[in-house]
Amino acid sequence: MKGCYINGISNISAQPTTVSTTFLEEIVGHKEVIIRAFDPDYKTFIKPAAMRRMSKSVKMGVVASKMALEAADIVMPDAIITGTGMGCRQDSERFLENVLHNDEQFLTPTLFIQSTHNTVGGQIALGLGCKGYNVTYVQGAVSFETSVIDAQLLLTESPEQHILVGAIDEIAKNSTKLDILNGQLKQGECDWLTILSSGTSGTICSEGATFMVLGAEQSNKSLAQIKAVTTINDATLDESKTAIETFIAAQGIVPDDIDAVIFGNNGDQDFDDYFHNLQTSIFKNTEQLCYKHLIGEYHTASAFAFWIGCEVFKHNTIPEVLKVNEVKAKQYNKILLYNQYRSRNHSIVLLERC
Amino acid sequence: MNKGIAITGMGIISSIGNTVEENLNALQSETPGISRLEILKSRLHDSIMVGEIKKTNATLIEELGLPKINNFSRTAMVSAIAAKEALQDAGISDINQHTTGFISGTSVGGMDTTEKYYLEYQETAENHRYIEALHAGFTTECVTKYLGIKGYVSTISTACSSAANAIMLGARLIIAGKLDRVVVGGTDALSKFTINGFNTLMILSDEVCRPFDDNRKGLNLGEAAAYLVLESDALVAKEDKKVLGRVVGWANANDAYHQTASSSEGEGAYRAMNKALKVADLSPSQIEYINAHGTATSNNDLSEGTAMKRIFGTENMPVFSSTKAFTGHTLAAAGAVEAVYSVLGLQEQTVFPNLNFKTKMSEFDMKPQTEIVSKEMQTVLSNSFGFGGNCSTLIFSR
């Protein structure tokens, strides 16, 4: 059957997801508001000479894309689509600071060249020699989901293709801290593992990369089918609930057919109501999972939920650390993902077991 | 030929005019908008020429009717002006009456505000509302809020091909039945960040740019925003809409050669043009005019020219010109600016000239159209290429 299948997925995050073979059994608890990703051994994937010029985003993107392609057993994808909120934030920040501190003098091109949002997508294409379709989306918390929507379109247009879809966001030394100033991030230290009931404003932040290889045909590599993805730019509590009900109905199912829901709660008391509103109503009797207390918030954090979905299908179980209610599903065939950031950039996704 | 998607509205603001009509008048009267920097304060004001919109941010705020305390960057403001004109042109008053999407391309988003306040953020809370402007997608969100668009919204950032990719995505989403109508295009305001970035690459000209000239010295940066309204045929029929032109072909390919430079054989450009012709179901001989990317850098014009030669052959080369000498290179907006000019060319049956050209490039026997000329045309092709090897081609029909 033609569809949109995840045939390989990889993830670099604030948890050791690249080195662990278990499904989130080893968990690192964090205390600082801004936490770097758990780095895999980049040099086993990238030659040292090439790595010297690479920013963190490029390193994470190149390695995560290689891991996903390897898992899917694909050497050359037909298209590369990347999503990123802030792009190559470190090099942009350094170039900007050089411009401002030195009154537009003594500048060199390297940082500027690597500052564009499509740097990671371009570098992956360059590394692979991939001359196919290549686009980068930068739409806040739906940067990854809009990339997936484009991939779905491509697979409808050209079902024989294999599409590499990825998400990358990195922390930068100074500009990430600005998000504390405007209240996006919490002040001072906090315990990540209990952050979902923090009762305070703002969230916690990290970085990471998630890559998938998508194809229209189911194969023995297929981990999950992406049945549907939708994004909404702006919605009230009621509008988001209605949108989810409409989305589910459009799939010809009812909420009770969903075995588990993965929510994007990030411990910000001002905006987690979008999730609580659903957790206590239509999904009251559905198994509920959260993950941002493990990997933090960033524009493409929601890509991690795709990885969780694939892992659940694979292991047929859900680690305690992800569970946020007492309900236990009988089986895991349909998993819904819902995310939003500060009342904007809502995404709804339905994953199905292959 | 593929039937394509209907264009029902256009809006633009650039250094040659604040509306579609003003832009058309400037093109027809061969009046370029290249000058020294007057609005943006930069050390480089005497050493480069730019296509700057001669309106201060205060004027733009007033024209948009924004509150004094707002979080719009200049990039967002020019975007809102052009998108608003496009919606008016399409006769749309109730934006959410039909599922309407918004897809905007931008390279640095609100960098113009970020660079103004970045060093003050720690000291004073006064401008903290601009912190989020560092995120390129935030620009788009300011505009969607202003226009009242609530549904599918996305921002594409593939450097100088961003708007072309936005137009392409819009057309594909309508064909797939995901949207009834969509506003597509791009926006970029001049910023010190961008100007200095291009300056370090040593590809800025200190004179007016000369696309496809053997003695070209580099590009002039410009600022602009431009949008098209695309609508499904069902909606066009139902509402008896006037159709300005159609997007009939599109393609995106990667040069996979270098992060910023184009390959000498123009592989990405060749692939983009070739595939766009296939999507449009046209042969090269059916293209009657090319609005080239033609930035006037040594590298681009040679690479693009080579790719054009590979597709069309020197003998059968269609009439071509770059309009960058009018507007400067408007980066992420360029694909939409030139889409508007392509449609205007089709409507007026006119080829807008490649200004400042004197000497043919030594590498091939190709001369752009240097005077304004009337020409019967059904189909035109427009190229947009960017950093990261991103190459996109769009084909428009009457």
Side-chain angles (χ1 to χ4, degrees):
Chain A
M1 194 181 76
K2 297 263 188 282
C4 180
Y5 294 90
I6 303 176
N7 294 330
I9 191 164
S10 66
N11 169 264
I12 296 171
S13 71
Q15 296 299 331
T17 42
T18 44
V19 292
S20 176
T21 49
T22 64
F23 180 20
L24 295 175
E25 277 176 25
E26 303 151 60
I27 290 298
V28 183
H30 299 293
K31 299 281 179 211
E32 287 163 57
V33 170
I34 301 169
I35 290 288
R36 304 256 171 193
F38 183 97
D39 288 322
D41 189 5
Y42 293 115
K43 64 178 183 299
T44 59
F45 294 90
I46 311 169
K47 290 193 187 90
M51 198 153 77
R52 268 199 304 278
R53 291 188 299 269
M54 289 183 175
S55 66
K56 179 77 178 271
S57 276
V58 176
K59 270 194 283 189
M60 290 194 297
V62 166
V63 169
S65 65
K66 282 189 182 197
M67 291 160 97
L69 287 166
E70 205 169 289
D73 205 9
I74 294 293
V75 177
M76 179 67 80
D78 298 288
I80 300 171
I81 308 174
T82 49
T84 176
M86 300 300 293
C88 294
R89 192 170 195 173
Q90 295 176 2
D91 285 347
S92 301
E93 172 182 299
R94 284 169 61 204
F95 189 74
L96 172 67
E97 289 177 0
N98 289 347
V99 168
L100 298 176
H101 289 309
N102 304 321
D103 191 23
E104 304 179 58
Q105 297 172 92
F106 321 116
L107 299 164
T108 53
T110 312
L111 294 173
F112 178 70
I113 288 171
Q114 295 179 160
S115 75
T116 58
H117 290 85
N118 60 337
T119 301
V120 179
Q123 287 293 320
I124 294 172
L126 199 52
L128 293 170
C130 177
K131 295 179 177 174
Y133 184 88
N134 193 310
V135 168
T136 300
Y137 291 92
V138 288
Q139 192 57 47
V142 294
S143 299
F144 182 66
E145 289 76 6
T146 43
S147 304
V148 175
I149 289 174
D150 190 355
Q152 283 180 312
L153 275 185
L154 281 183
L155 289 176
T156 317
E157 295 158 0
S158 313
E160 74 289 355
Q161 296 201 336
H162 297 280
I163 323 280
L164 180 65
V165 183
I168 323 95
D169 266 302
E170 66 182 10
I171 286 167
K173 199 168 121 230
N174 298 319
S175 65
T176 305
K177 285 189 203 142
L178 297 177
D179 293 343
I180 299 173
L181 295 178
N182 69 358
Q184 290 189 73
L185 299 182
K186 291 186 190 296
Q187 308 261 357
E189 290 209 338
C190 50
D191 177 18
W192 279 41
L193 292 176
T194 58
I195 203 81
L196 299 180
S197 52
S198 74
T200 55
S201 300
T203 184
I204 46 178
C205 173
S206 186
E207 59 186 0
T210 300
F211 273 76
M212 316 190 286
V213 177
L214 302 181
E217 303 276 356
Q218 185 171 349
S219 75
N220 59 354
K221 297 283 180 189
S222 298
L223 303 165
Q225 184 181 7
I226 301 174
K227 289 291 282 185
V229 183
T230 197
T231 63
I232 307 150
N233 185 47
D234 191 8
T236 62
L237 286 182
D238 286 344
E239 284 168 348
S240 87
K241 190 169 159 190
T242 308
I244 287 171
E245 287 167 336
T246 310
F247 175 91
I248 292 172
Q251 301 309 310
I253 55 174
V254 294
D256 282 350
D257 294 330
I258 310 274
D259 302 306
V261 186
I262 309 178
F263 291 103
N265 304 44
N266 65 13
D268 184 336
Q269 65 161 8
D270 301 333
F271 297 98
D272 273 356
D273 279 351
Y274 277 94
F275 304 111
H276 299 153
N277 187 40
L278 301 162
Q279 289 173 289
T280 53
S281 61
I282 38 175
F283 298 121
K284 199 171 60 189
N285 300 317
T286 309
E287 185 163 3
Q288 302 172 1
L289 290 69
C290 288
Y291 56 93
K292 287 186 187 159
H293 55 305
L294 304 180
I295 64 143
E297 180 68 277
Y298 48 98
H299 285 120
T300 50
S302 56
F304 193 74
F306 285 74
W307 179 83
I308 292 175
C310 291
E311 289 286 297
V312 171
F313 291 141
K314 188 163 121 194
H315 297 272
N316 240 335
T317 178
I318 291 179
E320 278 303 317
V321 71
L322 296 175
K323 293 185 185 188
V324 291
N325 70 348
E326 302 299 322
V327 181
K328 172 96 179 71
K330 288 193 202 75
Q331 75 280 316
Y332 300 104
N333 291 327
K334 289 184 171 58
I335 299 179
L336 188 88
L337 322 181
Y338 171 59
N339 188 50
Q340 58 81 32
Y341 184 62
R342 296 175 79 83
S343 83
R344 301 181 75 83
N345 293 321
H346 303 255
S347 62
I348 315 164
V349 180
L350 181 63
L351 298 180
E352 210 170 273
R353 180 187 288 278
C354 291
Chain B
M1 183 169 63
N2 168 14
K3 192 150 181 278
I5 297 294
I7 302 165
T8 59
M10 303 197 290
I12 185 170
I13 177 167
S14 74
S15 66
I16 61 168
N18 307 314
T19 60
V20 172
E21 199 187 341
E22 285 183 24
N23 273 265
L24 176 60
N25 290 341
L27 290 167
Q28 285 178 327
S29 61
E30 302 186 40
T31 315
I34 306 299
S35 67
R36 293 289 181 199
L37 278 169
E38 289 166 21
I39 309 281
L40 181 73
K41 303 283 171 255
S42 163
R43 256 193 107 81
L44 301 175
H45 62 92
D46 283 334
S47 55
I48 58 167
M49 302 293 286
V50 293
E52 188 178 47
I53 298 167
K54 301 300 180 196
K55 281 178 187 285
T56 62
N57 286 5
T59 308
L60 293 170
I61 288 171
E62 204 185 303
E63 286 181 8
L64 285 166
L66 296 174
K68 255 214 164 89
I69 304 290
N70 66 69
N71 55 7
F72 276 59
S73 61
R74 185 172 174 86
T75 309
M77 288 193 280
V78 291
S79 167
I81 285 176
K84 200 168 138 184
E85 186 191 13
L87 287 171
Q88 274 164 1
D89 189 32
I92 296 167
S93 48
D94 182 359
I95 188 83
N96 289 312
Q97 190 190 353
H98 303 289
T99 333
T100 305
F102 187 66
I103 307 169
S104 187
T106 186
S107 65
V108 290
M111 185 56 81
D112 63 281
T113 44
T114 299
E115 66 189 21
K116 229 179 263 171
Y117 306 116
Y118 186 79
L119 296 180
E120 303 170 7
Y121 285 145
Q122 295 292 344
E123 273 73 54
T124 155
E126 199 194 335
N127 294 311
H128 283 180
R129 65 183 185 279
Y130 290 116
I131 288 176
E132 275 193 271
L134 191 55
H135 166 53
F138 183 71
T139 306
T140 314
E141 291 191 21
C142 287
V143 181
T144 51
K145 217 168 199 174
Y146 181 79
L147 300 172
I149 294 177
K150 301 196 84 168
Y152 176 87
V153 171
S154 73
T155 306
I156 291 180
S157 195
T158 50
C160 309
S161 64
S162 304
N165 285 327
I167 294 169
M168 186 182 321
L169 178 68
R172 292 168 57 221
L173 282 167
I174 289 183
I175 287 181
K178 303 261 181 197
L179 293 171
D180 298 325
R181 67 183 175 200
V182 58
V183 183
V184 292
T187 182
D188 257 329
L190 286 169
S191 68
K192 284 200 280 196
F193 183 96
T194 313
I195 288 177
N196 280 285
F198 277 87
N199 195 45
T200 61
L201 291 169
M202 294 188 285
I203 52 174
L204 293 183
S205 173
D206 55 353
E207 300 167 2
V208 290
C209 71
R210 301 164 69 174
F212 295 106
D213 190 289
D214 203 39
N215 301 310
R216 62 196 182 282
K217 293 176 71 179
L219 58 85
N220 302 140
L221 284 172
E223 57 185 354
Y227 292 91
L228 307 178
V229 178
L230 306 181
E231 300 197 49
S232 68
D233 283 333
L235 200 52
V236 168
K238 191 173 147 201
E239 302 195 334
D240 196 20
K241 283 287 186 70
K242 69 172 173 171
V243 175
L244 310 176
R246 301 183 78 89
V247 195
V248 296
W250 47 80
N252 163 313
N254 198 283
D255 204 30
Y257 171 73
H258 184 269
Q259 178 61 20
T260 54
S262 304
S263 61
S264 56
E265 70 277 23
E267 184 62 18
Y270 171 81
R271 282 172 182 256
M273 284 189 274
N274 200 26
K275 201 172 149 208
L277 285 164
K278 286 208 176 102
V279 170
D281 194 17
L282 289 169
S283 65
S285 62
Q286 288 172 285
I287 296 296
E288 286 147 313
Y289 163 65
I290 301 169
N291 184 301
H293 188 53
T295 58
T297 63
S298 170
N299 179 237
N300 176 81
D301 294 5
L302 180 57
S303 178
E304 185 177 12
T306 305
M308 281 159 55
K309 211 170 91 180
R310 284 174 67 189
I311 296 276
F312 301 98
T314 314
E315 299 290 297
N316 303 312
M317 184 66 66
V319 175
F320 72 96
S321 69
S322 159
T323 46
K324 296 276 193 307
F326 280 95
T327 57
H329 185 3
T330 58
L331 306 178
V337 166
E338 287 151 35
V340 169
Y341 295 170
S342 295
V343 175
L344 287 174
L346 284 167
Q347 285 183 316
E348 303 295 320
Q349 296 286 286
T350 301
V351 172
F352 305 120
N354 189 111
L355 304 177
N356 310 328
F357 174 90
K358 288 193 188 101
T359 317
K360 265 194 240 177
M361 287 167 63
S362 59
E363 293 86 352
F364 33 62
D365 186 24
M366 274 165 51
K367 182 178 175 293
Q369 179 64 36
T370 54
E371 289 91 34
I372 190 158
V373 62
S374 290
K375 183 174 166 25
E376 248 181 65
M377 299 187 283
Q378 289 299 325
T379 50
V380 307
L381 181 148
S382 173
N383 283 331
S384 296
F385 312 135
F387 283 4
N390 285 116
C391 298
S392 292
T393 297
L394 298 171
I395 299 175
F396 301 94
S397 80
R398 227 181 147 178

